[in-house]
Amino acid sequence: MFKLKSIIKEKSSIFKSILKFSAKKVTLYNVIFPLWLLWLFPVTWIVILPANFLIDLAVLVITMRCLKLSGRKETARRSIWKIWLFGFLSDFVGTFFMFLVNIIDSLLDFPHYQSPVRQWWYNNMTNAVTFNPFSTLPAFLWSSACILLSGLCIYLFNYHFSLKKAVPDSVIRKKLALSLSVFTAPYLFLLPTSWFYM
């Protein structure tokens, strides 16, 4: 009887250590989050804000130069701050939809954790969008749609608001807005987080 108690005690201590190890592993993976969420944290703004400003300015100036527009300096001065702010707003819209897969996953998790729909969603969408959008076709399409949505927002905001007073000619304004949407869309949504954490 004494031997049986010692065996049970030994096995339970091994089981407890496995549970502790598993809990540490789960906690570690919960700390890891996608790179496309980094810009939401103020610490990263030291790099992201000036970099985005410079990219927006470069795209605007190079596009105006290619279109051989006069008054480039004045146009840039009058519109760059709005372009920059609306660019962040557009990125936020795309980021919201990228994060929406996690929200849907938590809603599917509510009644039955192991339901087939929830398992499919987690494996093909939540996990894939978060760690590697190229790992499944649905995750790639979702991430690409989020990039297109952000690009569309960049185009519409720049055409209707940022460039409206600085560039009265609608044809040129369309070209500038299109250039900004194509070259400043958040393509980093497709960058696999797994490259950096796994």
Side-chain angles (χ1 to χ4, degrees):
M1 185 70 166
F2 178 75
K3 191 172 183 177
L4 183 62
K5 282 185 179 180
S6 66
I7 291 173
I8 291 172
K9 197 173 195 178
E10 181 183 328
K11 297 295 180 190
S12 68
S13 66
I14 292 170
F15 184 71
K16 284 179 185 175
S17 65
I18 290 171
L19 283 177
K20 284 181 183 175
F21 178 73
S22 297
K24 285 180 185 175
K25 206 169 189 180
V26 170
T27 304
L28 177 65
Y29 281 112
N30 284 341
V31 170
I32 298 170
F33 55 90
L35 293 175
W36 42 263
L37 279 178
L38 276 177
W39 74 273
L40 295 176
F41 296 97
V43 174
T44 62
W45 293 357
I46 295 167
V47 174
I48 292 173
L49 291 176
N52 255 352
F53 183 83
L54 291 174
I55 291 168
D56 289 344
L57 182 61
V59 169
L60 180 65
V61 169
I62 290 169
T63 304
M64 288 191 296
R65 185 172 288 171
C66 289
L67 293 173
K68 297 182 171 105
L69 297 180
S70 59
R72 292 187 290 260
K73 195 180 236 183
E74 180 63 23
T75 302
R77 188 188 64 74
R78 291 180 64 194
S79 60
I80 189 60
W81 294 104
K82 292 178 193 170
I83 290 170
W84 184 55
L85 290 172
F86 281 120
F88 270 105
L89 180 61
S90 300
D91 289 351
F92 181 77
V93 170
T95 301
F96 171 77
F97 282 95
M98 288 289 283
F99 191 71
L100 187 62
V101 295
N102 294 295
I103 296 169
I104 293 170
D105 185 61
S106 65
L107 293 174
L108 291 172
D109 188 24
F110 178 66
H112 304 289
Y113 178 72
Q114 296 298 331
S115 73
V117 173
R118 195 272 176 182
Q119 286 298 320
W120 182 92
W121 186 266
Y122 178 77
N123 292 329
N124 292 289
M125 294 298 290
T126 306
N127 196 37
V129 167
T130 303
F131 291 109
N132 185 358
F134 295 106
S135 63
T136 67
L137 182 61
F140 175 75
L141 294 175
W142 184 279
S143 301
S144 299
C146 291
I147 293 169
L148 288 172
L149 179 63
S150 289
L152 178 64
C153 289
I154 291 169
Y155 174 82
L156 293 173
F157 287 143
N158 286 324
Y159 180 77
H160 291 293
F161 302 108
S162 304
L163 297 166
K164 187 145 185 139
K165 290 181 181 175
V167 184
D169 184 353
S170 65
V171 174
I172 293 174
R173 193 166 68 237
K174 281 180 185 175
K175 290 178 182 179
L176 289 171
L178 182 63
S179 176
L180 284 161
S181 70
V182 168
F183 293 111
T184 64
Y187 298 108
L188 289 178
F189 286 177
L190 291 174
L191 186 69
T193 306
S194 60
W195 289 357
F196 300 94
Y197 294 118
M198 306 255 174

